[in-house]
Amino acid sequence: FTKCCQETGILMVVKCRQENTALKDCLVGYYSDPSFYEECKAEYLKQREEYRATGIKKKRQRFTPNV
């Protein structure tokens, strides 16, 4: 989806519909997966515990797409 938008520019709304639909379907699959939710929750709670103990924020990870 990102690649399509970068290549298309302002016409992305019209030309990237298929990619947008595929992206939404993928995300909905992850959001509705209970094990993925629990994994994210555990990671968040661990980071929150570390921050409360040290007062130092952890740097955010950058997502690198598998293009």
Side-chain angles (χ1 to χ4, degrees), residues 14-15 39 41 43-44 57 63 67:
V14 177
K15 293 192 174 187
E39 182 182 337
K41 180 177 156 184
E43 185 176 329
Y44 166 76
K57 288 185 179 182
F63 175 74
V67 178

Side-chain angles (χ1 to χ4, degrees), residues 45-60:
L45 291 173
K46 180 182 170 201
Q47 289 178 2
R48 185 179 74 170
E49 180 182 2
E50 288 177 18
Y51 173 72
R52 287 184 174 179
T54 63
I56 301 171
K57 288 185 179 182
K58 184 178 179 183
K59 290 186 178 182
R60 290 183 179 226

Side-chain angles (χ1 to χ4, degrees), residues 5-65:
C5 290
Q6 290 173 342
E7 291 173 355
T8 309
I10 193 113
L11 296 174
M12 69 183 173
V13 176
V14 177
K15 293 192 174 187
C16 298
R17 286 183 182 165
Q18 186 176 8
E19 289 84 351
N20 188 27
T21 302
L23 175 64
K24 283 191 225 176
D25 291 343
C26 180
L27 291 174
V28 167
Y30 276 107
Y31 293 151
S32 61
D33 181 12
S35 63
F36 181 72
Y37 173 81
E38 290 300 322
E39 182 182 337
C40 292
K41 180 177 156 184
E43 185 176 329
Y44 166 76
L45 291 173
K46 180 182 170 201
Q47 289 178 2
R48 185 179 74 170
E49 180 182 2
E50 288 177 18
Y51 173 72
R52 287 184 174 179
T54 63
I56 301 171
K57 288 185 179 182
K58 184 178 179 183
K59 290 186 178 182
R60 290 183 179 226
Q61 288 181 322
R62 291 272 177 171
F63 175 74
T64 53

